[in-house]
Amino acid sequence: GAKMKERNIAAIATPPGKGGVAIVRISGDSPLSIAEKMFVPSGKTAVKDFRPYRLYPGEIDGGTFTDYGLCVYFKAPASYTGEDVVEFHCHGGENIARGILKRTFRLGASAAGRGEFTKRAFLNGKLSLASAEGIADMINGESEAEVKAGYLLYSERLTGKVREIQDVLKEVLAGIDAAIDYPEEGIEEESTDDIRLALQRAKGEVSVLLSGYAKGKKIKSGVTVALCGKPNTGKSSLLNRLLGYEKAIVSDIAGTTRDAVEGVLEIDGVRFNLYDTAGMRESGDEIENIGIERAENIVRSADLVVFVADSAAGTDGEDARVLELAEGKPLVKVFNKIDLTNDETETDADVLTSAVTGEGIERLKELLYEKSFGSRGEDAAFLIEERHYDALKRAETALKRAVAACGELSLDLVGIDVGNAWESLGEITGETASESIIEEIFSKFCVGK
Ligand code: GDP
């Protein structure tokens, strides 16, 4: 059908500051007619005859100055936004790009809002809402793993699965409608069984997607690691070794690490936020007791606990108390100061280390990753957005109800739950997302994207 004519919007697509090249982008119903008035090609081809996806050199009018650069035309619908798009590639100076942008405004373009190009792409069906969120995750990503997970979202991996489930639900709904519309045919028990089976399978697939969220969350916000154990076992020293620089204050006097000292370590692209805890032991010192309480809280809220013991001293009752706190969490047991132990001590440690010689540190890093995500090289998670998790959770609940209602309640009641599940899934792809959700998502983008 005929697409609505949209006004031309323009923005600088590159970040502010100096650089090799800056890009000014126009999208809308007639960006080429704007280009015609502000670009003088060096070659023989006039702007109106530009072939799409080709770079043409020429003079760009910046209003009070001229720059020499490139112009490219992307023809609708095969463009980022799905509309006609023109880009000017100019020299990378803020005043150059700004002058060229102002010139597009003079010629009728209006200033693009945050994420407005991508929003148009979404509205024109170029990408799903989740895919747009993947782009934002990639751009805003603070670790390589976040970029990787964002790319999986962007490339429609999640929406692909969601759409498959939606298709099954649509089929079930069609079956239910047929049974309701032609009651004289009778609802055979067999078809109710088929419906239940299909719904159960769909629910199972939603649950599988949901189970990936714990991993996705750790990728998005980093893995919180608590280093704990008795004073002087070498926690601060190990932290420094792991981080590769002097961060925590190392001291011989027990109980000096009073505050949680944070450091960030990247392993296989994932951020690990390391917290050193005050040596945990009973003490009469009030300040130290506050530190101990804080340390216990860190252990309780950690995704992963690294327990450190002195390999010469071994463990005792106090350590058992610390390990109790960590119960139920992934745990790495470290026996440190292995350089001081001559004989091969029998231990149940996961790794033997020396913060002095560096022995076992690489293995410790591997263990941090493996205990958090399973073995290396496994597929990254693609369920990293809480919004998607919520929508899937609601879909799961609705499907649970639908399965329970199957054979018990009338089919039109089953249909209501199936419809609700379908709609919840549609919030991920964007089909059923409200205007306010869409606004919120695109407001996270920068101007020019
Ligand atoms: P924390 O109280 O557990 O944080 O322990 P620290 O990191 O402050 O270390 C206590 C003392 O043990 C310091 O004098 C460190 O230099 C020393 N130390 C830490 N790790 C090792 C190790 O692997 N080998 C040896 N020989 N000394 C260590």
Side-chain angles (χ1 to χ4, degrees):
K3 226 176 50 190
M4 218 171 63
K5 290 280 179 199
E6 287 287 354
R7 69 187 208 287
N8 294 313
I9 49 167
I12 301 169
T14 40
K18 287 179 223 168
V21 175
I23 295 175
V24 177
R25 186 192 251 175
I26 319 167
S27 178
D29 58 1
S30 54
L32 213 49
S33 71
I34 292 176
E36 239 185 307
K37 296 177 189 114
M38 58 181 288
F39 189 77
V40 184
S42 306
K44 290 198 184 95
T45 316
V47 172
K48 64 173 174 31
D49 299 322
F50 273 2
R51 286 165 67 184
Y53 322 115
R54 290 205 167 201
L55 291 164
Y56 290 92
E59 288 181 336
I60 313 169
D61 180 5
T64 55
F65 61 86
T66 301
D67 188 20
Y68 190 78
L70 299 165
C71 179
V72 55
Y73 163 52
F74 302 90
K75 194 172 162 55
S79 70
Y80 181 66
T81 57
E83 306 173 327
D84 274 353
V85 172
V86 163
E87 282 178 7
F88 296 114
H89 298 203
C90 61
H91 287 104
E94 254 177 273
N95 288 312
I96 305 172
R98 215 178 292 142
I100 292 166
L101 177 65
K102 268 193 213 152
R103 191 78 193 101
T104 71
F105 293 161
R106 288 264 161 72
L107 294 168
S110 34
R114 283 179 172 273
E116 197 171 353
F117 292 97
T118 311
K119 188 179 175 186
R120 287 188 176 191
F122 164 66
L123 294 174
N124 287 327
K126 299 294 290 186
L127 40 71
S128 73
L129 199 52
S131 175
E133 288 169 290
I135 296 175
D137 284 337
M138 286 178 73
I139 292 175
N140 299 327
E142 283 172 15
S143 67
E144 282 176 27
E146 223 179 313
V147 174
K148 204 161 140 189
Y151 185 77
L152 291 178
L153 256 191
Y154 167 58
S155 59
E156 308 284 14
R157 278 280 292 278
L158 177 64
T159 39
K161 296 199 186 232
V162 164
R163 286 203 171 107
E164 275 173 29
I165 301 168
Q166 276 189 304
D167 286 346
V168 171
L169 299 186
K170 218 179 239 172
E171 242 172 71
V172 168
L173 281 173
I176 288 174
D177 280 349
I180 291 168
D181 288 347
Y182 303 100
E184 63 276 11
E185 317 239 315
I187 304 156
E188 295 151 38
E189 217 148 275
E190 204 178 300
S191 70
T192 311
D193 283 346
D194 284 349
I195 288 172
R196 187 190 297 110
L197 209 67
L199 291 177
Q200 259 162 354
R201 225 178 270 144
K203 188 187 127 300
E205 272 160 43
V206 171
S207 305
V208 168
L209 289 177
L210 280 167
S211 68
Y213 184 59
K215 197 164 157 181
K217 202 174 167 192
K218 279 188 267 186
I219 284 175
K220 195 149 170 108
S221 36
V223 182
T224 304
V225 181
L227 277 144
C228 61
K230 276 207 291 268
N232 273 324
T233 49
K235 297 180 296 300
S236 311
S237 308
L238 278 175
L239 182 73
N240 288 336
R241 264 286 175 181
L242 284 168
L243 297 174
Y245 58 90
E246 295 288 314
K247 179 81 196 242
I249 309 148
V250 181
S251 151
D252 273 326
I253 310 151
T256 48
T257 315
R258 285 189 165 142
D259 245 322
V261 182
E262 191 182 2
V264 181
L265 171 70
E266 211 171 292
I267 308 171
D268 267 15
V270 179
R271 268 174 309 147
F272 286 76
N273 305 314
L274 305 180
Y275 288 86
D276 189 5
T277 62
M280 289 179 179
R281 45 151 224 181
E282 298 300 334
S283 150
D285 184 338
E286 202 178 315
I287 296 169
E288 199 179 305
N289 280 337
I290 292 170
I292 289 169
E293 207 181 297
R294 212 172 279 164
E296 290 186 353
N297 285 335
I298 291 169
V299 173
R300 279 196 203 97
S301 60
D303 297 313
L304 176 74
V305 175
V306 174
F307 167 76
V308 184
D310 185 330
S311 59
T315 56
D316 58 23
E318 253 181 73
D319 291 317
R321 210 181 117 255
V322 173
L323 287 171
E324 216 170 274
L325 267 181
E327 215 169 79
K329 287 181 193 291
L331 175 80
V332 180
K333 264 193 192 174
V334 180
F335 268 42
N336 189 40
K337 304 196 188 183
I338 194 69
D339 54 297
L340 297 180
T341 344
N342 302 323
D343 54 315
E344 291 280 311
T345 31
E346 276 291 318
T347 72
D348 61 344
D350 296 307
V351 60
L352 305 173
T353 61
S354 166
V356 170
T357 67
E359 193 184 332
I361 300 296
E362 278 312 306
R363 179 69 195 131
L364 175 55
K365 282 188 192 176
E366 278 173 22
L367 281 169
L368 293 182
Y369 191 92
E370 283 169 19
K371 296 266 181 173
S372 308
F373 295 106
S375 59
R376 286 185 184 207
E378 257 180 48
D379 220 357
F382 49 79
L383 184 58
I384 56 172
E385 293 292 329
E386 197 175 336
R387 186 183 83 79
H388 300 165
Y389 178 83
D390 287 345
L392 283 166
K393 206 75 195 153
R394 275 181 277 118
E396 190 188 42
T397 307
L399 287 175
K400 242 182 232 167
R401 284 175 50 138
V403 170
C406 238
E408 298 294 324
L409 302 172
S410 70
L411 271 184
D412 53 343
L413 289 177
V414 175
I416 289 172
D417 283 324
V418 176
N420 284 340
W422 187 90
E423 274 184 24
S424 294
L425 295 175
E427 289 175 26
I428 295 172
T429 61
E431 280 160 294
T432 59
S434 70
E435 188 59 39
S436 65
I437 285 175
I438 293 169
E439 280 306 317
E440 196 194 315
I441 286 167
F442 288 105
S443 69
K444 283 188 224 154
F445 282 74
C446 33
V447 172
K449 186 67 212 165

